[in-house]
Amino acid sequence: MHPVNALSGIKVVDISTLFAGPTAAMLMGDFGADVIKVEHPRRGDPSRGHGHAKDGVGLWWKVLSRNKRTTGIDLSAPEGQELLKTVLADADVLIENFRPGTLERWNLSPEQLHEVNPRLVIARVTGFGQFGPMSNEPGFGTLAEAMSGFASMTGEPDGPPTLPPLALADGIAALAGAYTIMVALQGRQKTGKGQVLDLAIIEPILTVLGPQITAYRALGVVPERTGNRSTNNSPRNIYRTRDGRWLAISTSAQSIAERVIRLVGRPELVDEPWFASGRTRAQHADELDAAVGSWIAERDADDVIAAFSEAQAAVAPVYDVADVVADPQFQALGTVLDVPDPELGTVAMQNVLARLSGTPGEIRWAGPRLGEHTEEVLSEAGVSSEHIAALRQRGVVA
């Protein structure tokens, strides 16, 4: 039986590029929204050429634009701007990430779009927001990772600030974007009107960094780099086994910390006054790491994992992507999905991010070719095939 998708009937027009906006649109498409991806008709979307490619086909694009229908429209051309308004006339959401003022320059300001469709939710995703001294600066996730404090608190104590090797701030902003779009749609249920959503990529990453601002303002605390250790609990680190594998251990729960230390043969440490809380245990991380690390170093990874499991203590191997694909837990969850694709045969990718019992998400297709759905998208908006052909001849659409 075909699943019931919670967001079916919601029309999302995605004119954004790398990476927060398109990922937010992808997340909505995973749960049934009709996502129309608008690209430049000649250059296509930048993500088509980003990262690895197979047979000249960008693999990141295949993931980022899954479940989207693609059309090429030149939004800098007046005819393209009018076409977008036509497509948006019955849309629920527009996602854009141009610099502030760009839509206004194209006669596509929120005020003008709300004249066409008062119920439209307009999500504006930028590096620094729609106002303020940096609002017109080019913004990327890397800058957010730097400015948020993430980089300053990541890395070894005697090393430099460390950036993540992936689009972390963009991914966090995408989750925040999808969530706040859904909030805006729920708000529309109450007011009957659309609204503008101003999402600055520098802000959502601050939320997941926890109470660092609160601690700074209350206590003057500025987080320092601690490597793989934590200032809130110990033992918490990466430890190497006899057979050269790496294992991660967390003892956020007091009971887990006690089990670990007893397991590694140091039960007397549990009776120390400082062992009673995570913060005070963290002050004795050298001693705890030495106890745990030496015990693990004398054993193979499988034996360590089995012993931790029997003791009901928390441990996990440090995986690379090959390990993820081969892991039986990920296999049981169906985390990796092979998606049929006319260009590449099949494309493996992460499945939808959560399982819903009543209205599950699904990946219906991978990222399509440029302009693959132009005819049907514009025809649905009431544009005649003759007009589409004429616009294609002039390079306005692909």
Short mmCIF file of all heavy atoms in Angstrom, two decimals, residues 156-157 226-231 233-241 246-251 257 260-261 264-266 269 274-275 278 280-298 308 314:
data_model
loop_
_atom_site.label_atom_id
_atom_site.label_comp_id
_atom_site.label_asym_id
_atom_site.label_seq_id
_atom_site.Cartn_x
_atom_site.Cartn_y
_atom_site.Cartn_z
N GLU A 156 42.08 20.16 19.84
CA GLU A 156 42.91 19.85 20.99
C GLU A 156 43.27 21.13 21.75
O GLU A 156 43.37 22.21 21.15
CB GLU A 156 44.17 19.12 20.55
CG GLU A 156 43.92 17.74 19.96
CD GLU A 156 43.25 16.80 20.96
OE1 GLU A 156 43.58 16.87 22.17
OE2 GLU A 156 42.39 16.00 20.52
N PRO A 157 43.50 21.03 23.07
CA PRO A 157 43.79 22.24 23.87
C PRO A 157 44.98 23.03 23.36
O PRO A 157 44.99 24.26 23.45
CB PRO A 157 44.07 21.66 25.26
CG PRO A 157 43.33 20.36 25.30
CD PRO A 157 43.40 19.82 23.90
N THR A 226 38.93 21.23 24.49
CA THR A 226 39.24 20.09 25.37
C THR A 226 39.47 18.81 24.59
O THR A 226 39.48 17.72 25.17
CB THR A 226 38.08 19.86 26.37
OG1 THR A 226 36.86 19.61 25.64
CG2 THR A 226 37.89 21.07 27.28
N GLY A 227 39.64 18.92 23.27
CA GLY A 227 39.82 17.71 22.47
C GLY A 227 38.59 16.84 22.51
O GLY A 227 37.47 17.33 22.36
N ASN A 228 38.77 15.56 22.76
CA ASN A 228 37.64 14.63 22.84
C ASN A 228 37.09 14.50 24.25
O ASN A 228 36.15 13.73 24.48
CB ASN A 228 38.07 13.25 22.33
CG ASN A 228 38.29 13.24 20.84
OD1 ASN A 228 37.54 13.84 20.07
ND2 ASN A 228 39.36 12.57 20.40
N ARG A 229 37.67 15.23 25.17
CA ARG A 229 37.16 15.22 26.53
C ARG A 229 35.98 16.18 26.67
O ARG A 229 35.72 17.00 25.81
CB ARG A 229 38.26 15.62 27.51
CG ARG A 229 39.32 14.55 27.72
CD ARG A 229 40.39 15.02 28.68
NE ARG A 229 41.33 13.94 29.03
CZ ARG A 229 42.38 14.10 29.81
NH1 ARG A 229 42.64 15.30 30.33
NH2 ARG A 229 43.17 13.07 30.08
N SER A 230 35.29 16.06 27.80
CA SER A 230 34.18 16.94 28.12
C SER A 230 34.45 17.60 29.46
O SER A 230 35.07 17.00 30.34
CB SER A 230 32.86 16.14 28.19
OG SER A 230 31.82 16.93 28.74
N THR A 231 33.98 18.82 29.62
CA THR A 231 34.09 19.49 30.92
C THR A 231 32.94 19.10 31.84
O THR A 231 32.91 19.51 33.00
CB THR A 231 34.09 21.01 30.76
OG1 THR A 231 32.89 21.42 30.08
CG2 THR A 231 35.31 21.47 29.97
N ASN A 233 31.68 15.66 32.08
CA ASN A 233 31.74 14.30 32.60
C ASN A 233 33.05 13.64 32.17
O ASN A 233 33.72 14.12 31.24
CB ASN A 233 30.53 13.46 32.16
CG ASN A 233 30.54 13.19 30.68
OD1 ASN A 233 31.19 12.26 30.20
ND2 ASN A 233 29.80 14.00 29.90
N SER A 234 33.40 12.57 32.86
CA SER A 234 34.57 11.77 32.54
C SER A 234 34.38 10.40 33.20
O SER A 234 33.73 10.32 34.26
CB SER A 234 35.85 12.45 33.07
OG SER A 234 37.00 11.72 32.71
N PRO A 235 34.90 9.33 32.59
CA PRO A 235 35.65 9.29 31.34
C PRO A 235 34.76 9.50 30.11
O PRO A 235 33.68 8.94 30.02
CB PRO A 235 36.25 7.88 31.35
CG PRO A 235 35.30 7.07 32.18
CD PRO A 235 34.79 8.00 33.23
N ARG A 236 35.25 10.32 29.23
CA ARG A 236 34.60 10.59 27.95
C ARG A 236 35.70 10.90 26.95
O ARG A 236 36.32 11.96 27.01
CB ARG A 236 33.63 11.76 28.08
CG ARG A 236 32.71 11.96 26.89
CD ARG A 236 33.22 12.94 25.88
NE ARG A 236 32.18 13.36 24.96
CZ ARG A 236 32.37 14.21 23.95
NH1 ARG A 236 33.57 14.72 23.73
NH2 ARG A 236 31.37 14.54 23.16
N ASN A 237 35.96 9.94 26.04
CA ASN A 237 37.10 10.11 25.16
C ASN A 237 37.06 9.05 24.07
O ASN A 237 36.12 8.25 24.01
CB ASN A 237 38.42 10.00 25.95
CG ASN A 237 39.49 10.93 25.38
OD1 ASN A 237 39.60 11.10 24.17
ND2 ASN A 237 40.29 11.51 26.26
N ILE A 238 38.07 9.08 23.23
CA ILE A 238 38.30 8.06 22.21
C ILE A 238 39.52 7.24 22.64
O ILE A 238 40.56 7.81 22.96
CB ILE A 238 38.58 8.70 20.83
CG1 ILE A 238 37.40 9.59 20.40
CG2 ILE A 238 38.85 7.62 19.78
CD1 ILE A 238 36.14 8.86 20.08
N TYR A 239 39.37 5.92 22.67
CA TYR A 239 40.43 5.06 23.18
C TYR A 239 40.79 4.02 22.12
O TYR A 239 39.90 3.48 21.43
CB TYR A 239 39.99 4.35 24.46
CG TYR A 239 39.48 5.29 25.53
CD1 TYR A 239 38.13 5.64 25.59
CD2 TYR A 239 40.36 5.85 26.46
CE1 TYR A 239 37.66 6.51 26.56
CE2 TYR A 239 39.90 6.72 27.44
CZ TYR A 239 38.54 7.05 27.49
OH TYR A 239 38.08 7.92 28.45
N ARG A 240 42.10 3.69 22.03
CA ARG A 240 42.56 2.75 21.01
C ARG A 240 42.71 1.36 21.61
O ARG A 240 43.27 1.18 22.70
CB ARG A 240 43.90 3.21 20.43
CG ARG A 240 44.26 2.46 19.15
CD ARG A 240 45.42 3.11 18.42
NE ARG A 240 45.56 2.58 17.07
CZ ARG A 240 46.44 3.01 16.19
NH1 ARG A 240 47.25 4.01 16.51
NH2 ARG A 240 46.50 2.48 14.99
N THR A 241 42.22 0.37 20.85
CA THR A 241 42.27 -1.01 21.30
C THR A 241 43.57 -1.68 20.86
O THR A 241 44.35 -1.13 20.08
CB THR A 241 41.08 -1.80 20.73
OG1 THR A 241 41.20 -1.84 19.29
CG2 THR A 241 39.76 -1.14 21.10
N TRP A 246 39.46 2.25 17.16
CA TRP A 246 39.14 3.33 18.10
C TRP A 246 37.71 3.16 18.61
O TRP A 246 36.79 2.88 17.83
CB TRP A 246 39.28 4.69 17.43
CG TRP A 246 40.68 5.04 17.05
CD1 TRP A 246 41.29 4.86 15.84
CD2 TRP A 246 41.67 5.63 17.89
NE1 TRP A 246 42.58 5.31 15.87
CE2 TRP A 246 42.85 5.79 17.12
CE3 TRP A 246 41.68 6.05 19.23
CZ2 TRP A 246 44.02 6.35 17.63
CZ3 TRP A 246 42.85 6.61 19.73
CH2 TRP A 246 44.00 6.76 18.95
N LEU A 247 37.54 3.36 19.92
CA LEU A 247 36.22 3.24 20.55
C LEU A 247 35.91 4.53 21.30
O LEU A 247 36.79 5.13 21.93
CB LEU A 247 36.18 2.06 21.52
CG LEU A 247 36.51 0.68 20.97
CD1 LEU A 247 36.46 -0.35 22.09
CD2 LEU A 247 35.55 0.30 19.85
N ALA A 248 34.64 4.93 21.24
CA ALA A 248 34.18 6.11 21.97
C ALA A 248 33.40 5.68 23.20
O ALA A 248 32.59 4.74 23.14
CB ALA A 248 33.29 6.97 21.07
N ILE A 249 33.62 6.38 24.31
CA ILE A 249 32.94 6.08 25.56
C ILE A 249 32.32 7.36 26.10
O ILE A 249 32.94 8.43 26.08
CB ILE A 249 33.92 5.48 26.60
CG1 ILE A 249 34.36 4.08 26.17
CG2 ILE A 249 33.30 5.43 27.99
CD1 ILE A 249 35.41 3.48 27.06
N SER A 250 31.10 7.24 26.59
CA SER A 250 30.43 8.36 27.25
C SER A 250 29.92 7.89 28.60
O SER A 250 29.40 6.78 28.73
CB SER A 250 29.27 8.87 26.40
OG SER A 250 28.54 9.87 27.10
N THR A 251 30.06 8.76 29.60
CA THR A 251 29.56 8.44 30.95
C THR A 251 28.73 9.60 31.49
O THR A 251 28.89 10.01 32.64
CB THR A 251 30.73 8.14 31.90
OG1 THR A 251 31.63 9.26 31.92
CG2 THR A 251 31.50 6.90 31.45
N ALA A 257 29.05 5.72 34.55
CA ALA A 257 30.42 5.99 34.97
C ALA A 257 30.88 4.95 35.99
O ALA A 257 32.01 4.45 35.92
CB ALA A 257 30.52 7.40 35.55
N VAL A 260 31.57 1.57 34.27
CA VAL A 260 32.80 1.57 33.47
C VAL A 260 34.02 1.40 34.37
O VAL A 260 34.91 0.59 34.11
CB VAL A 260 32.91 2.86 32.63
CG1 VAL A 260 34.31 3.00 32.03
CG2 VAL A 260 31.86 2.87 31.52
N ILE A 261 34.08 2.18 35.44
CA ILE A 261 35.26 2.15 36.30
C ILE A 261 35.37 0.81 37.04
O ILE A 261 36.48 0.28 37.23
CB ILE A 261 35.22 3.33 37.29
CG1 ILE A 261 35.34 4.65 36.51
CG2 ILE A 261 36.32 3.22 38.32
CD1 ILE A 261 36.58 4.74 35.62
N VAL A 264 36.76 -1.75 34.45
CA VAL A 264 38.19 -1.68 34.14
C VAL A 264 39.07 -1.95 35.36
O VAL A 264 40.29 -1.75 35.32
CB VAL A 264 38.56 -0.33 33.49
CG1 VAL A 264 37.75 -0.11 32.21
CG2 VAL A 264 38.37 0.84 34.46
N GLY A 265 38.45 -2.40 36.46
CA GLY A 265 39.23 -2.84 37.60
C GLY A 265 39.68 -1.77 38.56
O GLY A 265 40.65 -1.96 39.30
N ARG A 266 38.97 -0.64 38.60
CA ARG A 266 39.33 0.43 39.54
C ARG A 266 38.14 0.84 40.39
O ARG A 266 37.77 2.01 40.47
CB ARG A 266 39.86 1.65 38.77
CG ARG A 266 41.14 1.40 37.99
CD ARG A 266 42.32 1.10 38.91
NE ARG A 266 42.55 2.17 39.87
CZ ARG A 266 43.26 3.27 39.60
NH1 ARG A 266 43.82 3.43 38.40
NH2 ARG A 266 43.43 4.19 40.53
N LEU A 269 37.93 3.95 42.88
CA LEU A 269 37.71 5.33 42.44
C LEU A 269 36.25 5.77 42.62
O LEU A 269 35.97 6.96 42.81
CB LEU A 269 38.12 5.49 40.98
CG LEU A 269 39.61 5.30 40.67
CD1 LEU A 269 39.86 5.44 39.17
CD2 LEU A 269 40.46 6.31 41.44
N TRP A 274 35.05 13.03 44.76
CA TRP A 274 34.95 13.73 43.47
C TRP A 274 34.26 12.91 42.38
O TRP A 274 33.90 13.44 41.33
CB TRP A 274 36.32 14.18 42.97
CG TRP A 274 37.39 13.11 42.94
CD1 TRP A 274 38.35 12.90 43.86
CD2 TRP A 274 37.59 12.12 41.92
NE1 TRP A 274 39.15 11.84 43.51
CE2 TRP A 274 38.70 11.34 42.31
CE3 TRP A 274 36.95 11.81 40.72
CZ2 TRP A 274 39.19 10.28 41.55
CZ3 TRP A 274 37.42 10.75 39.96
CH2 TRP A 274 38.52 9.99 40.37
N PHE A 275 34.10 11.62 42.61
CA PHE A 275 33.47 10.77 41.59
C PHE A 275 31.94 10.95 41.55
O PHE A 275 31.28 10.45 40.64
CB PHE A 275 33.81 9.30 41.85
CG PHE A 275 33.64 8.40 40.66
CD1 PHE A 275 34.68 8.23 39.75
CD2 PHE A 275 32.43 7.76 40.41
CE1 PHE A 275 34.53 7.42 38.64
CE2 PHE A 275 32.26 6.94 39.29
CZ PHE A 275 33.31 6.78 38.40
N GLY A 278 29.53 14.54 37.42
CA GLY A 278 30.25 14.62 36.16
C GLY A 278 31.27 15.74 36.13
O GLY A 278 32.38 15.59 35.62
N THR A 280 32.95 17.16 38.61
CA THR A 280 34.14 16.87 39.41
C THR A 280 34.92 15.68 38.85
O THR A 280 36.15 15.65 38.95
CB THR A 280 33.76 16.64 40.88
OG1 THR A 280 32.69 15.66 40.96
CG2 THR A 280 33.29 17.93 41.53
N ARG A 281 34.23 14.73 38.24
CA ARG A 281 34.96 13.65 37.56
C ARG A 281 35.82 14.22 36.43
O ARG A 281 36.94 13.77 36.20
CB ARG A 281 34.00 12.61 36.98
CG ARG A 281 33.31 11.74 38.01
CD ARG A 281 32.79 10.43 37.39
NE ARG A 281 32.04 10.61 36.16
CZ ARG A 281 30.75 10.87 36.10
NH1 ARG A 281 30.04 11.00 37.22
NH2 ARG A 281 30.14 10.99 34.93
N ALA A 282 35.28 15.21 35.72
CA ALA A 282 36.02 15.81 34.61
C ALA A 282 37.32 16.46 35.08
O ALA A 282 38.29 16.55 34.32
CB ALA A 282 35.16 16.83 33.88
N GLN A 283 37.37 16.90 36.33
CA GLN A 283 38.58 17.49 36.88
C GLN A 283 39.66 16.44 37.14
O GLN A 283 40.82 16.79 37.39
CB GLN A 283 38.24 18.25 38.16
CG GLN A 283 37.33 19.44 37.94
CD GLN A 283 36.75 20.00 39.23
OE1 GLN A 283 37.20 19.65 40.32
NE2 GLN A 283 35.76 20.88 39.12
N HIS A 284 39.29 15.18 37.09
CA HIS A 284 40.23 14.07 37.29
C HIS A 284 40.32 13.22 36.02
O HIS A 284 40.53 12.01 36.09
CB HIS A 284 39.78 13.22 38.48
CG HIS A 284 39.84 13.94 39.79
ND1 HIS A 284 40.87 13.78 40.70
CD2 HIS A 284 38.99 14.85 40.35
CE1 HIS A 284 40.67 14.54 41.74
NE2 HIS A 284 39.53 15.20 41.58
N ALA A 285 40.17 13.88 34.87
CA ALA A 285 40.14 13.14 33.60
C ALA A 285 41.44 12.41 33.32
O ALA A 285 41.43 11.33 32.72
CB ALA A 285 39.81 14.11 32.46
N ASP A 286 42.56 12.96 33.72
CA ASP A 286 43.83 12.28 33.46
C ASP A 286 43.85 10.89 34.12
O ASP A 286 44.22 9.89 33.49
CB ASP A 286 45.01 13.11 33.99
CG ASP A 286 45.30 14.33 33.14
OD1 ASP A 286 44.81 14.37 31.98
OD2 ASP A 286 46.00 15.23 33.62
N GLU A 287 43.44 10.85 35.37
CA GLU A 287 43.44 9.58 36.10
C GLU A 287 42.43 8.60 35.52
O GLU A 287 42.72 7.41 35.34
CB GLU A 287 43.15 9.84 37.58
CG GLU A 287 43.24 8.61 38.46
CD GLU A 287 43.07 8.94 39.93
OE1 GLU A 287 42.85 10.13 40.27
OE2 GLU A 287 43.16 8.00 40.75
N LEU A 288 41.25 9.09 35.20
CA LEU A 288 40.20 8.22 34.66
C LEU A 288 40.55 7.73 33.26
O LEU A 288 40.34 6.56 32.93
CB LEU A 288 38.87 8.95 34.68
CG LEU A 288 38.31 9.27 36.07
CD1 LEU A 288 37.09 10.18 35.98
CD2 LEU A 288 37.95 7.99 36.82
N ASP A 289 41.08 8.62 32.43
CA ASP A 289 41.48 8.21 31.09
C ASP A 289 42.59 7.17 31.13
O ASP A 289 42.62 6.23 30.32
CB ASP A 289 41.93 9.42 30.27
CG ASP A 289 40.78 10.12 29.57
OD1 ASP A 289 39.69 9.54 29.50
OD2 ASP A 289 40.98 11.26 29.09
N ALA A 290 43.51 7.34 32.08
CA ALA A 290 44.60 6.37 32.20
C ALA A 290 44.05 5.00 32.59
O ALA A 290 44.49 3.97 32.05
CB ALA A 290 45.61 6.86 33.23
N ALA A 291 43.10 4.97 33.50
CA ALA A 291 42.52 3.70 33.93
C ALA A 291 41.78 3.01 32.80
O ALA A 291 41.96 1.82 32.53
CB ALA A 291 41.59 3.93 35.12
N VAL A 292 40.92 3.77 32.11
CA VAL A 292 40.12 3.19 31.04
C VAL A 292 40.99 2.88 29.83
O VAL A 292 40.90 1.81 29.22
CB VAL A 292 38.98 4.16 30.64
CG1 VAL A 292 38.23 3.64 29.43
CG2 VAL A 292 38.02 4.35 31.81
N GLY A 293 41.87 3.82 29.46
CA GLY A 293 42.69 3.64 28.27
C GLY A 293 43.63 2.47 28.36
O GLY A 293 43.81 1.73 27.38
N SER A 294 44.24 2.26 29.52
CA SER A 294 45.17 1.14 29.66
C SER A 294 44.44 -0.20 29.59
O SER A 294 44.95 -1.17 29.02
CB SER A 294 45.94 1.26 30.98
OG SER A 294 45.06 1.23 32.09
N TRP A 295 43.25 -0.25 30.17
CA TRP A 295 42.45 -1.50 30.13
C TRP A 295 42.05 -1.83 28.70
O TRP A 295 42.17 -2.96 28.24
CB TRP A 295 41.22 -1.33 31.01
CG TRP A 295 40.40 -2.57 31.18
CD1 TRP A 295 40.57 -3.55 32.13
CD2 TRP A 295 39.27 -2.98 30.40
NE1 TRP A 295 39.61 -4.53 31.99
CE2 TRP A 295 38.80 -4.21 30.92
CE3 TRP A 295 38.60 -2.43 29.31
CZ2 TRP A 295 37.71 -4.88 30.40
CZ3 TRP A 295 37.51 -3.10 28.78
CH2 TRP A 295 37.07 -4.31 29.32
N ILE A 296 41.59 -0.81 27.96
CA ILE A 296 41.16 -1.03 26.57
C ILE A 296 42.36 -1.39 25.70
O ILE A 296 42.25 -2.25 24.81
CB ILE A 296 40.44 0.23 26.05
CG1 ILE A 296 39.06 0.35 26.72
CG2 ILE A 296 40.29 0.18 24.53
CD1 ILE A 296 38.30 1.60 26.33
N ALA A 297 43.51 -0.78 25.94
CA ALA A 297 44.68 -1.01 25.11
C ALA A 297 45.17 -2.45 25.18
O ALA A 297 45.89 -2.91 24.28
CB ALA A 297 45.80 -0.06 25.51
N GLU A 298 44.79 -3.17 26.23
CA GLU A 298 45.22 -4.56 26.39
C GLU A 298 44.26 -5.56 25.74
O GLU A 298 44.49 -6.77 25.82
CB GLU A 298 45.34 -4.88 27.88
CG GLU A 298 46.41 -4.07 28.60
CD GLU A 298 46.36 -4.26 30.11
OE1 GLU A 298 45.39 -4.91 30.59
OE2 GLU A 298 47.28 -3.77 30.80
N PHE A 308 31.69 -4.33 27.63
CA PHE A 308 30.87 -3.16 27.94
C PHE A 308 29.38 -3.49 27.83
O PHE A 308 28.57 -3.04 28.65
CB PHE A 308 31.23 -2.00 26.99
CG PHE A 308 32.28 -1.08 27.54
CD1 PHE A 308 33.60 -1.49 27.68
CD2 PHE A 308 31.95 0.21 27.93
CE1 PHE A 308 34.57 -0.64 28.18
CE2 PHE A 308 32.91 1.07 28.43
CZ PHE A 308 34.23 0.64 28.56
N ALA A 314 28.22 2.21 28.14
CA ALA A 314 28.04 2.79 26.80
C ALA A 314 29.37 2.86 26.05
O ALA A 314 30.32 3.50 26.52
CB ALA A 314 27.43 4.18 26.90
#
